Amino acid sequence: MCQEQKGFTLWFTGLPCSGKTAIADRLAQVLKERGLKVERLDGDVVRQSLCRDLGFSRHDRDENIRRVTFVAKLLTRNGVAVLTSFISPYREIRDEARREIGDFIEVYVKCPLEVCMARDVKGMYQKAIRGEIKEFTGISDPYEEPLQPELILETDRETIEESISKVLNYLRQTGYLEDNT
Ligand SMILES: Nc1ncnc2c1ncn2[C@@H]1O[C@H](COP(=O)(O)OP(=O)(O)O)[C@@H](O)[C@H]1O
Ligand SMILES: [Mg+2]
Protein backbone atom coordinates (compact mmCIF):
# COMPACT_ATOMS: atom_id res chain seq x y z
CA MET A 1 0.00 0.00 0.00
CA CYS A 2 1.33 3.42 -0.79
CA GLN A 3 2.20 5.68 2.10
CA GLU A 4 -0.50 8.11 3.11
CA GLN A 5 0.34 11.76 2.65
CA LYS A 6 0.69 13.55 5.97
CA GLY A 7 -1.63 16.52 6.16
CA PHE A 8 -0.60 19.99 7.23
CA THR A 9 -1.90 23.52 7.29
CA LEU A 10 0.18 26.39 5.96
CA TRP A 11 -1.29 29.40 7.73
CA PHE A 12 -0.47 32.59 5.82
CA THR A 13 -0.93 35.74 7.92
CA GLY A 14 -0.09 39.35 7.15
CA LEU A 15 -1.36 42.82 6.31
CA PRO A 16 -3.80 43.42 3.44
CA CYS A 17 -1.85 43.35 0.14
CA SER A 18 1.19 41.72 1.75
CA GLY A 19 0.87 38.86 -0.78
CA LYS A 20 -0.93 36.05 1.07
CA THR A 21 -3.37 35.17 -1.70
CA ALA A 22 -0.85 35.54 -4.53
CA ILE A 23 1.68 33.24 -2.83
CA ALA A 24 -0.80 30.67 -1.52
CA ASP A 25 -2.56 30.37 -4.91
CA ARG A 26 0.69 29.79 -6.76
CA LEU A 27 2.02 27.39 -4.14
CA ALA A 28 -1.24 25.41 -4.24
CA GLN A 29 -0.69 24.87 -7.98
CA VAL A 30 2.87 23.71 -7.40
CA LEU A 31 1.84 21.24 -4.68
CA LYS A 32 -0.98 19.88 -6.86
CA GLU A 33 1.46 19.33 -9.70
CA ARG A 34 3.52 17.27 -7.27
CA GLY A 35 0.54 15.04 -6.63
CA LEU A 36 -0.59 16.29 -3.23
CA LYS A 37 -4.23 16.69 -2.25
CA VAL A 38 -4.58 20.44 -1.77
CA GLU A 39 -7.31 22.78 -0.49
CA ARG A 40 -7.30 26.55 -0.32
CA LEU A 41 -9.18 28.57 2.26
CA ASP A 42 -9.00 32.27 1.36
CA GLY A 43 -10.34 35.20 3.35
CA ASP A 44 -12.24 36.81 0.49
CA VAL A 45 -13.89 33.53 -0.50
CA VAL A 46 -14.76 32.45 3.04
CA ARG A 47 -16.26 35.84 3.85
CA GLN A 48 -18.71 35.39 0.96
CA SER A 49 -19.71 31.89 2.00
CA LEU A 50 -19.04 30.20 5.35
CA CYS A 51 -18.67 33.53 7.18
CA ARG A 52 -21.06 35.74 5.20
CA ASP A 53 -22.74 36.84 8.40
CA LEU A 54 -19.58 38.20 10.04
CA GLY A 55 -18.06 41.68 10.18
CA PHE A 56 -14.69 42.98 11.31
CA SER A 57 -15.03 43.52 15.04
CA ARG A 58 -12.59 41.63 17.21
CA HIS A 59 -15.38 39.19 18.06
CA ASP A 60 -16.30 38.57 14.41
CA ARG A 61 -12.69 38.28 13.27
CA ASP A 62 -12.10 35.66 15.96
CA GLU A 63 -15.26 33.80 14.97
CA ASN A 64 -14.16 33.88 11.31
CA ILE A 65 -10.85 32.26 12.24
CA ARG A 66 -12.51 29.71 14.54
CA ARG A 67 -14.72 28.44 11.69
CA VAL A 68 -11.77 28.28 9.32
CA THR A 69 -9.77 26.43 11.96
CA PHE A 70 -12.54 23.86 12.26
CA VAL A 71 -12.48 23.18 8.52
CA ALA A 72 -8.68 23.20 8.29
CA LYS A 73 -8.47 20.71 11.16
CA LEU A 74 -10.77 18.21 9.44
CA LEU A 75 -8.87 18.47 6.17
CA THR A 76 -5.43 18.30 7.80
CA ARG A 77 -6.24 15.11 9.68
CA ASN A 78 -7.39 13.56 6.40
CA GLY A 79 -4.04 14.03 4.71
CA VAL A 80 -4.76 17.25 2.84
CA ALA A 81 -2.29 20.09 2.33
CA VAL A 82 -4.32 23.10 3.46
CA LEU A 83 -3.27 26.61 2.51
CA THR A 84 -5.13 29.35 4.37
CA SER A 85 -4.81 33.06 3.57
CA PHE A 86 -6.37 35.32 6.18
CA ILE A 87 -5.11 38.57 7.68
CA SER A 88 -5.77 36.86 11.03
CA PRO A 89 -4.41 39.86 12.93
CA TYR A 90 -4.75 38.50 16.46
CA ARG A 91 -2.02 36.35 17.96
CA GLU A 92 -4.26 34.64 20.46
CA ILE A 93 -6.62 33.17 17.88
CA ARG A 94 -3.73 32.13 15.61
CA ASP A 95 -2.28 30.28 18.60
CA GLU A 96 -5.65 28.63 19.15
CA ALA A 97 -5.62 27.50 15.49
CA ARG A 98 -2.12 26.12 16.04
CA ARG A 99 -3.23 24.08 19.07
CA GLU A 100 -6.36 22.78 17.33
CA ILE A 101 -4.81 21.85 14.00
CA GLY A 102 -1.52 20.43 15.29
CA ASP A 103 0.32 20.11 11.98
CA PHE A 104 0.39 23.88 11.70
CA ILE A 105 2.96 26.00 9.92
CA GLU A 106 2.63 29.71 10.56
CA VAL A 107 3.89 31.74 7.61
CA TYR A 108 4.29 35.43 8.26
CA VAL A 109 3.90 37.27 4.96
CA LYS A 110 5.87 40.31 5.98
CA CYS A 111 5.77 43.55 4.05
CA PRO A 112 6.09 47.18 5.21
CA LEU A 113 2.80 49.02 5.46
CA GLU A 114 3.97 51.65 2.92
CA VAL A 115 4.59 48.94 0.30
CA CYS A 116 1.21 47.32 0.98
CA MET A 117 -0.44 50.73 0.65
CA ALA A 118 1.32 51.37 -2.64
CA ARG A 119 0.11 47.99 -3.98
CA ASP A 120 -3.46 48.61 -2.79
CA VAL A 121 -4.79 45.85 -5.05
CA LYS A 122 -8.46 46.57 -4.41
CA GLY A 123 -8.27 50.25 -3.45
CA MET A 124 -9.15 49.37 0.14
CA TYR A 125 -6.33 51.34 1.76
CA GLN A 126 -7.44 54.50 -0.02
CA LYS A 127 -10.98 53.93 1.18
CA ALA A 128 -9.78 53.26 4.72
CA ILE A 129 -7.70 56.45 4.72
CA ARG A 130 -10.74 58.41 3.54
CA GLY A 131 -12.66 56.90 6.44
CA GLU A 132 -14.98 54.91 4.17
CA ILE A 133 -13.98 51.57 5.71
CA LYS A 134 -13.79 51.21 9.45
CA GLU A 135 -11.69 48.64 11.28
CA PHE A 136 -9.22 48.27 8.40
CA THR A 137 -6.11 46.37 9.46
CA GLY A 138 -2.97 48.50 9.32
CA ILE A 139 -4.91 51.79 9.21
CA SER A 140 -7.59 51.73 11.88
CA ASP A 141 -7.28 48.23 13.31
CA PRO A 142 -4.30 46.39 14.82
CA TYR A 143 -2.07 43.72 13.33
CA GLU A 144 -0.15 41.62 15.86
CA GLU A 145 3.00 40.25 14.24
CA PRO A 146 3.76 36.57 14.83
CA LEU A 147 6.41 36.13 17.51
CA GLN A 148 7.73 32.73 16.45
CA PRO A 149 6.42 31.88 13.00
CA GLU A 150 7.88 28.83 11.30
CA LEU A 151 8.57 30.99 8.25
CA ILE A 152 8.87 34.65 7.34
CA LEU A 153 8.44 35.70 3.72
CA GLU A 154 9.60 39.26 3.01
CA THR A 155 7.60 40.15 -0.04
CA ASP A 156 9.16 43.59 -0.54
CA ARG A 157 12.56 41.91 -1.04
CA GLU A 158 11.88 38.51 -2.57
CA THR A 159 9.93 37.36 -5.59
CA ILE A 160 6.89 35.10 -5.32
CA GLU A 161 9.02 32.24 -6.69
CA GLU A 162 11.68 32.81 -4.00
CA SER A 163 9.02 32.81 -1.29
CA ILE A 164 7.59 29.57 -2.65
CA SER A 165 11.03 27.94 -2.67
CA LYS A 166 11.45 28.85 0.98
CA VAL A 167 8.18 27.12 1.86
CA LEU A 168 9.00 24.04 -0.25
CA ASN A 169 12.41 23.75 1.44
CA TYR A 170 10.78 23.97 4.83
CA LEU A 171 8.27 21.25 3.91
CA ARG A 172 11.11 18.99 2.76
CA GLN A 173 13.19 19.60 5.87
CA THR A 174 10.26 18.79 8.13
CA GLY A 175 9.26 15.68 6.18
CA TYR A 176 5.88 16.93 4.98
CA LEU A 177 7.16 16.75 1.42
CA GLU A 178 9.29 13.92 0.09
CA ASP A 179 12.72 14.96 -1.18
CA ASN A 180 12.07 13.61 -4.65
CA THR A 181 8.83 15.56 -5.19
N1 LIG B 1 7.15 39.31 -3.83
C1 LIG B 1 5.81 39.33 -3.85
N2 LIG B 1 5.11 38.41 -3.15
C2 LIG B 1 3.76 38.43 -3.17
N3 LIG B 1 3.00 39.32 -3.85
C3 LIG B 1 3.67 40.25 -4.57
C4 LIG B 1 5.08 40.29 -4.59
N4 LIG B 1 5.45 41.33 -5.38
C5 LIG B 1 4.32 41.89 -5.82
N5 LIG B 1 3.23 41.24 -5.35
C6 LIG B 1 1.84 41.61 -5.67
O1 LIG B 1 1.24 42.14 -4.51
C7 LIG B 1 -0.15 41.88 -4.53
C8 LIG B 1 -0.52 41.19 -3.23
O2 LIG B 1 -1.92 41.03 -3.21
P1 LIG B 1 -2.65 39.82 -2.50
O3 LIG B 1 -1.91 38.55 -2.75
O4 LIG B 1 -4.07 39.88 -2.91
O5 LIG B 1 -2.46 40.23 -0.97
P2 LIG B 1 -3.26 39.70 0.31
O6 LIG B 1 -3.93 38.42 -0.05
O7 LIG B 1 -2.18 39.54 1.35
O8 LIG B 1 -4.20 40.80 0.67
C9 LIG B 1 -0.42 40.98 -5.73
O9 LIG B 1 -0.91 41.78 -6.77
C10 LIG B 1 0.96 40.43 -6.05
O10 LIG B 1 1.11 40.10 -7.41
MG1 LIG C 1 -5.98 37.92 -0.02
Side-chain angles (χ1 to χ4, degrees):
M1 205 175 94
C2 73
Q3 204 192 322
E4 181 73 10
Q5 177 195 322
K6 187 159 170 54
F8 57 86
T9 290
L10 281 166
W11 190 280
F12 293 87
T13 172
L15 287 170
C17 301
S18 56
K20 303 177 296 295
T21 298
I23 294 170
D25 279 350
R26 177 75 192 107
L27 181 58
Q29 277 179 345
V30 172
L31 293 175
K32 272 184 200 163
E33 282 161 14
R34 287 167 196 235
L36 272 73
K37 287 183 288 182
V38 179
E39 282 292 349
R40 284 277 288 112
L41 288 163
D42 184 74
D44 288 346
V45 178
V46 164
R47 280 191 170 277
Q48 287 168 21
S49 51
L50 180 65
C51 298
R52 211 169 24 205
D53 54 318
L54 300 176
F56 292 88
S57 64
R58 167 91 196 231
H59 174 274
D60 280 15
R61 285 178 187 272
D62 283 353
E63 176 63 18
N64 183 44
I65 297 306
R66 280 208 179 93
R67 291 182 197 175
V68 170
T69 296
F70 180 82
V71 178
K73 179 181 178 175
L74 299 187
L75 292 167
T76 299
R77 75 179 185 210
N78 278 285
V80 177
V82 183
L83 288 77
T84 71
S85 41
F86 295 84
I87 301 169
S88 45
Y90 294 111
R91 212 170 272 145
E92 201 177 310
I93 198 80
R94 291 196 306 263
D95 288 344
E96 191 176 306
R98 174 186 291 280
R99 287 193 298 275
E100 281 289 312
I101 295 168
D103 292 279
F104 181 91
I105 302 152
E106 190 172 17
V107 185
Y108 179 21
V109 184
K110 190 175 180 187
C111 187
L113 181 63
E114 312 81 69
V115 177
C116 293
M117 287 173 73
R119 287 180 183 164
D120 207 6
V121 185
K122 289 171 280 177
M124 304 277 271
Y125 279 101
Q126 276 309 312
K127 283 190 184 166
I129 289 163
R130 290 200 299 265
E132 292 165 22
I133 306 175
K134 287 183 200 160
E135 300 170 318
F136 192 77
T137 304
I139 302 297
S140 45
D141 227 40
Y143 179 77
E144 298 175 356
E145 288 191 311
L147 297 178
Q148 289 185 304
E150 277 72 14
L151 282 164
I152 301 178
L153 309 176
E154 297 191 82
T155 67
D156 60 323
R157 311 181 189 180
E158 55 196 62
T159 64
I160 293 183
E161 293 307 318
E162 285 169 340
S163 295
I164 285 170
S165 293
K166 274 191 184 175
V167 181
L168 291 174
N169 282 336
Y170 179 85
L171 293 174
R172 283 192 204 99
Q173 282 163 13
T174 47
Y176 285 113
L177 202 61
E178 283 176 27
D179 279 334
N180 57 1
T181 57

